[in-house]
Amino acid sequence: MAQDLTSPDPAYLAFWRERHVCTLTTLRPDGTPHVVPVGVTYDPEARIARVITDKASRKVANVQAAAGPEGARVAVCQLEGKRWATLEGRAVVRTEPDVVADAVERYAVRYGRTPRPNPTRVVIEIAVTKALGRG
């Protein structure tokens, strides 16, 4: 079920504020999918999803290898029972300290805990172009 990015279902947005483990799908250099569990935050007004991670992770390498001028195609997904939500878009890796700090703060709000300090933390920032699901 497609969600209108300009006016998404309130239940869908509420689902993205609940604490859920999500998955991030990136493409390896050979084109095969790489799917890993992650924490995701979603800002529907800015249409940006964020994943915090270590800069040495495979997901970061995949995004960097696939990123053209518009970024790499990725998807994040979560589900619980009959509720599910997928956000698709173009990802880039952000390293600026203020961007990383903002993403960590958003993660702490959604997941109820502040992640341990990590001096090599980066943000996979996804410009959301499509939303699917049922909240």
Side-chain angles (χ1 to χ4, degrees):
M1 166 188 242
Q3 291 286 325
D4 179 356
L5 288 174
T6 61
S7 182
D9 180 356
Y12 184 82
L13 295 180
F15 188 40
W16 276 109
R17 289 188 296 272
E18 295 172 11
R19 187 179 194 275
H20 294 284
V21 173
C22 304
T23 61
L24 168 68
T25 303
T26 60
L27 296 177
R28 294 181 183 100
D30 68 2
T32 60
H34 177 255
V35 184
V36 293
V38 294
V40 176
T41 61
Y42 179 44
D43 178 349
E45 289 80 26
R47 297 184 191 162
I48 294 175
R50 296 173 177 88
V51 175
I52 57 174
T53 189
D54 190 88
K55 72 178 180 181
S57 70
R58 166 53 45 197
K59 55 190 159 286
V60 167
N62 289 344
V63 168
Q64 289 175 324
E70 297 175 353
R73 290 182 180 269
V74 301
V76 290
C77 183
Q78 66 182 19
L79 67 100
E80 179 185 58
K82 293 182 179 183
R83 299 186 310 158
W84 64 278
T86 299
L87 300 172
E88 298 177 12
R90 297 284 189 158
V92 295
V93 176
R94 302 284 304 269
T95 61
E96 304 91 332
D98 60 324
V99 172
V100 174
D102 178 62
V104 167
E105 184 176 318
R106 290 171 187 272
Y107 178 97
V109 169
R110 181 173 189 197
Y111 290 96
R113 68 175 191 83
T114 301
R116 63 177 165 65
N118 179 353
T120 59
R121 180 173 286 130
V122 298
V123 179
I124 297 175
E125 187 177 87
I126 304 161
V128 175
T129 57
K130 189 174 189 177
L132 304 164
R134 181 177 314 154

